Amino acid sequence: MDTTPIFTDDTIVFGLLMLALGFVFLTESIKTGFWPKFYKIVPGLFMAYMIPALLTTIGLIAPEWTTISETGVETEHSTSLYYMASRYLLPAALVLMTLSIDLKAVFNLGWKALVMFFTGTIGIIIGGPIAILLIATFSPETVGGIGPDAVWRGLSTLAGSWIGGGANQTAMLEIYGYNQAKYGQMVFVDIVVANVWMAIILIGIGKRNRINKWLKADTASIEELKEKVSAFSEKVKRNPSLTDIMIICAIAFGTVSIAHLSSNFLAPFFEDLVAGIESPTTRNIFTFLGSKFFWMISIATLIAILLSFTKAKNYEGAGASKFGSVFIYILVASIGMKMDLTLIFDNKMLIVIGLIWMTIHAGLLILIAKLIKAPYFFLAIGSQANVGGAASAPIVASAFHPSLATVGVLLAVFGYAVGTIAAIGCTILMELAAVS
């Protein structure tokens, strides 16, 4: 079926995304009437995500589409905007937001950040098998299948994605040999459920004070970090000259180029190194080391942290983190356009499994956050460092404050490291649940 949207030219689509972002910021700046009441309930970052999703839903734009020629030949097409935003703008944003970071203050955030991260991981590990057991009581065919068609094999790829990321997801597909003809259904569930959960987290950011009050959370360490960065920014604040702006761009995209160059060497090197490991299980645990995206994000963040100990950090006074925020919002819009809301009603039962799974993950996070009085920031980042990975964890973190983006990256990189082995544990439990 021909699924061509009205606008397919990336130049036009990018313009529409920028108009959507401009609309969000314009209406958010209005201090009287309807809009202040609206944004008191719905955060601007959520709108930056949802408006592109609506544009995709009504068929104006699309992340992927199919055209059919007069001779009946089908051709697959896709936009390059998400690739551009995630590979160019995301690492640039991380550099600019990390320039003024106080690394000591980041480590002073304490143990609760790690506890919430591992809680999120455990929530994914136990959520899958519990979801299978629940669905099996009234729809056993949904979680059935034998051999390569066994649904638990497909769900193993979700476990890999929701604990680590794309590299871990691919590793799980290889380990358990799920029927690749049906793999698209799992990718679809991944996109829908993960994006719905991210939308809920973004809404929660707008209500974080109320949530923190309910959690009885101690936010002192987070406020201390924000205050330190804000005080430094105020101290070096100046009206940026053209020279300042060009140097900021040079720092950002120069670092991005180094990160890409390094990842082009490191990823193949480690891919070959890991391929030489005899044990299949051990080999797949370290598959993430062959991911260019992993190395690109890690190297860009590492260089930015090193730059934070130099005079380069003074460019925060010229608005470095503001430029970073612009890039993050463009990434948010490009992620939003990947979400077609009508697809939620396709493959309903697989979506239900995913929603139950994510509900267990969320419920466990809320329970532990309440018990240890962890701030909503730790809950949100602990979840997104697992489910969203390095692409969305910094987005959520920076929504609290630009200085916190690095925290999201560090936890997401940690997620890559534990993703495959944790996903294997989850899959073992899902197999037992499916055959019980």
Side-chain angles (χ1 to χ4, degrees), residues 326-341:
V326 170
F327 299 156
I328 285 290
Y329 270 91
I330 294 172
L331 175 62
V332 171
S334 69
I335 292 175
M337 73 173 289
K338 293 169 70 176
M339 181 69 174
D340 183 344
L341 299 174

Side-chain angles (χ1 to χ4, degrees), residues 62-84:
E64 299 173 343
W65 64 94
T66 303
T67 57
I68 302 176
S69 68
E70 292 180 358
T71 57
V73 177
E74 291 189 3
T75 306
E76 301 291 334
H77 305 269
S78 63
T79 177
S80 299
L81 292 180
Y82 175 73
Y83 183 87
M84 176 274 293

Side-chain angles (χ1 to χ4, degrees), residues 127-140 143 349 352-353 356-357 360 433:
I130 292 174
I132 287 176
L133 288 172
L134 290 174
I135 294 297
T137 59
F138 61 90
S139 182
V143 295
M349 293 312 299
V352 171
I353 291 176
I356 293 173
W357 194 343
I360 293 166

Side-chain angles (χ1 to χ4, degrees), residues 338-355:
K338 293 169 70 176
M339 181 69 174
D340 183 344
L341 299 174
T342 61
L343 296 181
I344 294 174
F345 303 104
D346 293 345
N347 299 310
K348 295 183 183 67
M349 293 312 299
L350 280 178
I351 293 292
V352 171
I353 291 176
L355 291 175

Side-chain angles (χ1 to χ4, degrees), residues 54-287:
L54 291 173
L55 294 179
T56 295
T57 302
I58 63 177
L60 280 179
I61 60 178
E64 299 173 343
W65 64 94
T66 303
T67 57
I68 302 176
S69 68
E70 292 180 358
T71 57
V73 177
E74 291 189 3
T75 306
E76 301 291 334
H77 305 269
S78 63
T79 177
S80 299
L81 292 180
Y82 175 73
Y83 183 87
M84 176 274 293
S86 62
R87 267 59 175 181
Y88 305 156
L89 300 186
L90 173 60
L94 296 177
V95 171
L96 297 178
M97 289 175 161
T98 305
L99 275 183
S100 60
I101 193 67
D102 186 324
L103 201 58
K104 182 180 178 182
V106 168
F107 288 120
N108 284 342
L109 289 177
W111 55 272
K112 291 183 181 179
L114 278 176
V115 168
M116 294 309 295
F117 169 80
F118 281 114
T119 298
T121 302
I122 293 169
I124 297 298
I125 291 174
I126 66 173
I130 292 174
I132 287 176
L133 288 172
L134 290 174
I135 294 297
T137 59
F138 61 90
S139 182
E141 67 279 2
T142 300
V143 295
I146 57 173
D149 292 331
V151 172
W152 63 266
R153 295 181 188 273
L155 294 176
S156 73
T157 65
L158 291 185
S161 176
W162 289 348
I163 298 174
N168 307 84
Q169 184 176 31
T170 304
M172 298 304 290
L173 181 64
E174 181 181 333
I175 291 170
Y176 289 101
Y178 183 59
N179 185 348
Q180 295 201 16
K182 296 184 176 183
Y183 178 50
Q185 295 178 345
M186 297 301 166
V187 174
F188 164 76
V189 175
D190 181 10
I191 292 171
V192 171
V193 176
N195 282 315
V196 167
W197 174 233
M198 183 177 172
I200 293 170
I201 285 178
L202 294 179
I203 292 174
I205 291 173
K207 304 177 185 300
R208 61 184 179 272
N209 291 332
R210 191 183 304 173
I211 294 173
N212 284 333
K213 186 177 180 181
W214 179 77
L215 292 171
K216 297 180 181 178
D218 178 10
T219 60
S221 59
I222 297 173
E223 295 304 320
E224 181 183 352
L225 174 57
K226 288 162 60 175
E227 286 171 15
K228 278 190 175 182
V229 173
S230 297
F232 174 77
S233 179
E234 196 62 33
K235 179 183 175 183
V236 296
K237 188 176 181 180
R238 62 184 185 272
N239 187 28
S241 64
L242 179 59
T243 300
D244 287 330
I245 294 171
M246 292 307 296
I247 292 175
I248 286 172
C249 290
I251 291 171
F253 291 103
T255 301
V256 172
S257 69
I258 294 171
H260 274 270
L261 178 65
S262 302
S263 67
N264 286 339
F265 285 101
L266 290 172
F269 171 77
F270 279 98
E271 188 173 21
D272 292 340
L273 190 67
V274 171
I277 298 174
E278 290 186 10
S279 169
T281 303
T282 305
R283 183 169 62 246
N284 282 291
I285 287 172
F286 294 101
T287 300

